[in-house]
């Protein structure tokens, strides 16, 4: 099960990306998120699942085959034109290979969390127009002017009502930049900014708490360090895409992220069975690791 379940998840994610490369109708923000941020995020999670399956395998041949599956998912991202997906899948592969020599997962998980904070901070800084002109112009060329305008509208709404926001789903109604789009989708294409605009500081704190809790669970999981850090790298890649895109608006992406996080933090069945056969465990203060 520890091998088969993430393998099935990886194949399902790859199949979705191949069957529906755009994942949803509507405007596709090509640069820098390939066909769609959701495709990049889905392939990143699929690559992470394949790497987790490889680390869970004990047979060298099976581990090699699952590693090739992860590499194939990375190549698929390039074939589909998802440059961000290719970069993130490659990063997950490299991180997964590097974790084989690590014995402590804390520094790695802390570094991944810091990367998410930095990217989110740059997103807010761009929306607030507080970065140097040269850096702003360079990033705007990659992210497109329209996306920056959406972020600026979201930040303006967040400032208007910082406690509760303007209300879920109302960004499209109140954003002038969204109304000017040829095919508006009513989203600011940034999960933190969308929650800040529509649900205020409460929504932002809940999103940050959810991501922080996942990293904490991966830090404390009884699964091996390579599996924990590989899953953390893949989920951090999803968080980075969600900071500058609308990946979390797609059910397949959210389900895939939850599936990977659940597998990486699950207790082995044998461990639970062993605890039931030890009636003196409670008396001696023994417990399963959280």
């Amino acid at each position: 099960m520890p091998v088969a379940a993430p393998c099935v998840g990886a194949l399902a994610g790859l199949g979705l990306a191949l069957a529906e490369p755009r994942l949803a109708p509507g405007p596709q923000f090509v640069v820098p998120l390939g066909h769609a941020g959701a495709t990049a995020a889905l392939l990143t999670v699929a690559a992470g699942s394949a790497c987790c399956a490889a680390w869970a395998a004990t047979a060298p041949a099976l581990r090699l085959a699952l590693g090739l599956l992860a590499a194939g998912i990375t190549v698929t991202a390039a074939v589909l034109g998802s440059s961000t997906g290719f970069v993130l899948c490659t990063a997950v592969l490299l991180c997964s290979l590097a974790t084989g020599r690590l014995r402590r997962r804390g520094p790695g998980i802390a570094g991944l969390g810091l990367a998410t904070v930095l990217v989110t901070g740059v997103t807010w800084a761009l929306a607030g127009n507080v970065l140097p002109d040269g850096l702003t112009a360079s990033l705007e060329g990659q992210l497109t002017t329209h996306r920056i305008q959406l972020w600026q509208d979201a930040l303006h709404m967040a400032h208007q009502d910082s406690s509760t926001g303007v209300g879920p789903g109302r960004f499209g109604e109140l954003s002038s930049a969204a109304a000017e789009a040829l095919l508006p989708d009513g989203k600011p294409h940034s999960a933190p900014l969308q929650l800040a605009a529509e649900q205020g500081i409460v929504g932002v704190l809940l999103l940050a708490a959810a991501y922080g809790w996942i990293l904490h669970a991966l830090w404390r999981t009884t699964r091996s360090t390579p599996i924990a850090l590989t899953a953390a790298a893949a989920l951090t890649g999803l968080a980075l895409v969600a900071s500058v895109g609308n990946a979390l608006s797609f059910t397949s992406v959210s389900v895939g992220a939850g599936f990977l996080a659940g597998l990486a933090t699950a207790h082995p069945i044998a461990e639970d069975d062993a605890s039931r056969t030890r009636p003196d465990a409670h008396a001696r203060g023994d417990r399963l690791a959280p």
Side-chain angles (χ1 to χ4, degrees):
M1 185 63 70
V3 178
C7 181
V8 169
L11 292 174
L14 177 61
L16 278 173
L18 290 173
E20 301 179 77
R22 293 179 181 266
L23 291 178
Q28 305 297 323
F29 291 79
V30 176
V31 179
L33 301 176
H35 292 300
T39 301
L42 194 59
L43 290 171
T44 301
V45 172
S49 297
C51 290
C52 287
W55 279 115
T58 55
L62 180 57
R63 178 170 289 185
L64 176 61
L66 291 169
L68 292 175
L69 172 61
I73 293 172
T74 304
V75 173
T76 300
V79 172
L80 292 178
S82 178
S83 56
T84 299
F86 175 75
V87 170
L88 290 177
C89 287
T90 301
V92 169
L93 275 173
L94 294 177
C95 287
S96 183
L97 291 173
T99 58
R101 299 185 178 184
L102 297 179
R103 293 296 176 265
R104 297 178 58 190
R105 65 186 69 172
I109 288 180
L112 293 170
L114 179 60
T116 303
V117 171
L118 289 176
V119 171
T120 303
V122 170
T123 301
W124 282 66
L126 276 172
N129 196 27
V130 297
L131 292 178
D133 292 340
L135 180 58
T136 299
S138 176
L139 292 175
E140 186 174 332
Q142 296 294 320
L143 295 165
T144 72
T145 302
H146 178 64
R147 191 186 299 268
I148 303 298
Q149 291 173 346
L150 290 172
W151 292 354
Q152 291 172 345
D153 285 353
L155 190 60
H156 178 68
M157 293 178 197
H159 287 160
Q160 283 185 324
D161 195 342
S162 59
S163 58
T164 59
V166 298
R170 296 199 62 204
F171 175 82
E173 302 175 15
L174 303 175
S175 170
S176 57
E180 292 172 359
L182 294 177
L183 295 171
D185 62 357
K187 300 182 185 301
H189 288 261
S190 171
L193 285 172
Q194 180 172 353
L195 286 175
E198 297 183 349
Q199 300 181 33
I201 188 65
V202 175
V204 175
L205 291 177
L206 287 173
L207 179 65
Y211 176 67
W213 182 256
I214 289 176
L215 292 184
H216 177 267
L218 291 170
W219 175 50
R220 297 296 303 274
T221 181
T222 57
R223 303 297 302 277
S224 67
T225 293
I227 290 177
L229 288 177
T230 298
L235 294 172
T236 296
L238 167 59
L240 298 183
V241 173
S243 296
V244 297
N246 64 334
L248 292 182
S249 299
F250 298 88
T251 303
S252 56
V253 175
S254 300
V255 169
F259 181 76
L260 177 58
L263 289 175
T265 57
H267 291 273
I269 296 175
E271 183 179 326
D272 290 337
D273 290 343
S275 68
R276 297 190 187 100
T277 61
R278 295 163 59 198
D280 61 331
H282 180 71
R284 293 189 293 108
D286 293 349
R287 63 181 178 85
L288 289 175

